Amino acid sequence: MTDDRDDRADRDPRDDHDPRHVQEFFGQRAAGWDEKFPDDGPAFETAVAEFGLRPGDRVLDAGCGTGRALPALRAAVGPAGTVLGADLTPQMLTAAQQAGRDADGALLLADVSRLPLRDAAIDAVFASGLIAHLPDPAANLRELARVVRPGGRLALFHPIGRAALAARHGRALTPDDLRAEQNLGPLLAGSGWELLRYADEDARFLAVAVRRA
C-alpha cells in the first residue's frame, strides 16, 4: 500500500477503507508506481536509518507495496536478520518481485489486520503510508503490537508530511486528522504502543513508537 500521493483526479483511497476497494485502487496502479515517485528512495533510507534497527533484527514492512523500503531494511539488519514484506495487493508484490526486491526480503500476500505470524515473532514493524488505509486503526495497531516483542518498535512513515500531502489532494488539514500528534499519541497508547518520536515536515512524516511490555 505504501503511499497515497495520487493525482487529484484519482479516487483518494483514504475516502474508503474497505480492503477490497483499497486493493483495487492500488492494483490498478502497481505497474507504474515506482516511476510515479522516482525520488523517494533517499527518504526511505533516512527513515530506516533513524528507526534504530540492529544487525540480526527481525523486521516486517507492513503494507510494503512495491518493496521500496526492503533494500534499506535488509542493509540495516544484515544477512543474519529477517526481513518480511506484507501487502494486501498481489499486483504490488508482483511489482516488488519484478524490481528484484524479493532478494532483500520474503514477500507475503497478507492483510495486516490478520497477520500470519505468531505472537512476539518480530522485533520491529516499518509501515509506510499504511495508517490512512487501516479500516479499524486501533484494532489494526493492536494486531501489529501482537506480533512485535515487548520493547520492539513501530515506525509510521510517509515520504512527505501531512500538510504537503493534504495540499496535493486539494484538502485542508483538519483537527481530526489521524496522523496529527495529538490524535496519534492516544491512538497508539490505546493499542499497546508508546510514542517516542514524532516528526511532521514538508519532506517526510515519521512517528516512532515502542511496544509496551
Side-chain angles (χ1 to χ4, degrees):
M1 283 186 264
T2 74
D3 206 330
D4 57 358
R5 293 182 296 162
D6 284 276
D7 298 334
R8 296 178 192 177
D10 290 334
R11 176 168 58 88
D12 186 344
R14 294 175 302 167
D15 293 334
D16 188 345
H17 292 193
D18 186 322
R20 295 168 300 176
H21 297 163
V22 172
Q23 187 181 55
E24 177 185 3
F25 181 94
F26 287 103
Q28 292 173 351
R29 293 157 176 79
W33 196 258
D34 288 356
E35 289 74 18
K36 193 163 188 176
F37 307 111
D39 301 323
D40 286 346
F44 277 86
E45 293 169 5
T46 299
V48 171
E50 294 181 8
F51 190 21
L53 294 171
R54 299 169 297 181
D57 274 352
R58 303 159 296 175
V59 60
L60 168 69
D61 185 354
C64 68
T66 62
R68 290 181 294 171
L70 296 181
L73 294 172
R74 171 55 67 192
V77 303
T82 299
V83 179
L84 304 173
D87 202 275
L88 181 68
T89 305
Q91 296 94 326
M92 282 287 188
L93 297 179
T94 296
Q97 289 176 322
Q98 291 172 343
R101 294 174 184 139
D102 53 335
D104 296 304
L107 301 177
L108 304 174
L109 179 62
D111 187 337
V112 298
S113 68
R114 298 183 300 276
L115 289 165
L117 299 172
R118 69 180 187 278
D119 294 357
I122 57 177
D123 299 296
V125 173
F126 184 87
S128 173
L130 177 68
I131 192 167
H133 308 298
L134 297 177
D136 186 342
N140 302 152
L141 288 168
R142 284 195 295 271
E143 172 66 0
L144 295 179
R146 179 188 69 79
V147 303
V148 174
R149 63 167 176 82
R153 292 194 172 198
L154 167 69
L156 300 174
F157 168 70
H158 201 287
I160 59 175
R162 294 188 306 121
L165 182 61
R168 187 179 291 266
H169 286 290
R171 300 180 178 210
L173 287 177
T174 60
D176 62 349
D177 182 358
L178 193 63
R179 287 169 288 194
E181 187 172 9
Q182 69 270 18
N183 299 326
L184 185 60
L187 174 64
L188 289 166
S191 305
W193 302 96
E194 179 183 350
L195 183 62
L196 296 178
R197 289 188 285 121
Y198 182 91
D200 181 19
E201 306 158 356
D202 283 347
R204 60 111 182 232
F205 173 90
L206 180 65
V208 177
V210 64
R211 172 73 165 93
R212 296 201 308 265

